[in-house]
Amino acid sequence: MSRMILVMGESGSGKTTSMRNLDPKSTFYIDCDKKGLSWKGWRKQYIPTEKDKQNGNYWASSNASAITQIMVKISAEKPQIKTIVIDTLNWVMIDDEFKRMKEKGYDKWQDLAFSVKEMVAMGQQLREDLTVIFTAHTQTERDDSGFAFTRMKTSGKKLDKISIESMFTTVLLAKCVDGKYLFETQSNNSTAKSPMGAFEEKEIKNDITKVIKALEEF
């Protein structure tokens, strides 16, 4: 069973930037947003697969079925890859939704929920030495009393019922506080969570490599 991490947060909260210290030699980056990465020099670190099918470690796609297939292939055929990043889950949902926007009825929402759930579920079933990191945008809801709660943003009520966060043991909320980029590791009016004892503090530095190192003990 592979290690699964969900990094969620608003746009600009540091989700992508938190991946800056990953070793490109052992990382495969799936850019669902197709916008490139957010630190200087990333183009030298991540080579598109269309330029180098054998050694490429960067692929831009938001197709759920294709992403599922490439994860399985990496697990089976690329032992040098230890980390797979899927950035972001929301564009996978939007891609499917836009392709079928003219369709009417309930079936398209069922199909969307199934494809996303299957992709995340496959991430759980890969090699034991693989860490699979999904990123996602968040939404904050407020009730009549003003209580605010932050969770992963989804497309359609079916995905809300599934609760994607429940498929992860580690959910980190990326945020910027007083100019500092941080990860919230435990719930503070959010769906953030982590294994008991993994982190001493509820807020830690925004660096996914330190998170992976801490989780290696679990």
Side-chain angles (χ1 to χ4, degrees):
M1 181 182 293
S2 49
R3 183 182 297 110
M4 294 265 288
I5 301 171
L6 174 63
V7 178
M8 62 178 188
E10 295 290 340
S11 179
S13 62
K15 298 185 299 297
T16 299
T17 307
S18 71
M19 310 297 165
R20 64 195 178 280
N21 292 326
L22 287 170
D23 183 359
K25 293 180 181 178
S26 59
T27 302
F28 193 95
Y29 211 105
I30 301 175
D31 183 3
C32 308
D33 297 9
K34 304 174 186 177
K35 61 179 175 56
L37 308 187
S38 54
W39 60 87
K40 185 177 180 180
W42 74 269
R43 294 181 187 277
K44 295 180 179 179
Q45 298 173 330
Y46 290 94
I47 309 302
T49 52
E50 61 263 29
K51 291 185 178 180
D52 189 338
K53 291 184 178 180
Q54 184 65 29
N55 301 307
N57 58 352
Y58 173 89
W59 183 49
S61 175
S62 54
N63 183 287
S65 297
I67 292 171
T68 301
Q69 292 174 17
I70 197 68
M71 286 196 297
V72 172
K73 186 173 182 179
I74 290 169
S75 180
E77 301 177 9
K78 293 184 178 291
Q80 74 276 18
I81 298 298
K82 304 299 181 184
T83 308
I84 301 174
V85 181
I86 299 95
D87 182 12
T88 63
L89 262 173
N90 298 87
W91 269 105
V92 176
M93 296 182 231
I94 291 169
D95 178 76
D96 189 278
E97 189 177 342
F98 277 16
K99 284 180 180 177
R100 305 178 65 172
M101 63 187 302
K102 293 184 179 180
E103 294 182 26
K104 305 295 182 182
Y106 186 65
D107 287 349
K108 72 174 183 179
W109 298 111
Q110 283 186 309
D111 291 345
L112 169 61
F114 179 79
S115 64
V116 172
K117 178 183 178 297
E118 286 299 293
M119 182 179 64
V120 176
M122 181 54 68
Q124 299 171 322
Q125 301 171 38
L126 305 178
R127 290 193 330 256
E128 286 188 0
D129 64 341
L130 263 174
T131 297
V132 183
I133 304 166
F134 289 88
T135 72
H137 295 292
T138 53
Q139 62 185 47
T140 299
E141 301 166 342
R142 288 177 171 82
D143 62 20
D144 294 338
S145 65
F147 176 77
F149 191 81
T150 300
R151 64 179 180 85
M152 176 183 156
K153 190 173 185 178
T154 59
S155 297
K157 293 182 179 179
K158 267 289 182 183
L159 283 168
D160 286 346
K161 290 180 179 179
I162 291 172
S163 181
I164 295 296
E165 292 100 315
S166 68
M167 302 176 73
F168 295 81
T169 56
T170 303
V171 178
L172 304 172
L173 177 61
K175 57 186 183 179
C176 182
V177 180
D178 297 328
K180 296 181 179 179
Y181 290 90
L182 305 168
F183 282 146
E184 183 178 298
T185 64
Q186 297 292 337
S187 176
N188 181 20
N189 299 340
S190 74
T191 51
K193 60 182 178 178
S194 57
M196 184 180 294
F199 305 102
E200 294 181 359
E201 301 175 337
K202 288 187 176 181
E203 291 183 348
I204 60 174
K205 186 177 179 180
N206 179 321
D207 185 344
I208 201 66
T209 61
K210 296 184 182 299
V211 172
I212 294 172
K213 186 175 181 179
L215 293 176
E216 285 176 352
E217 300 178 9
F218 289 83

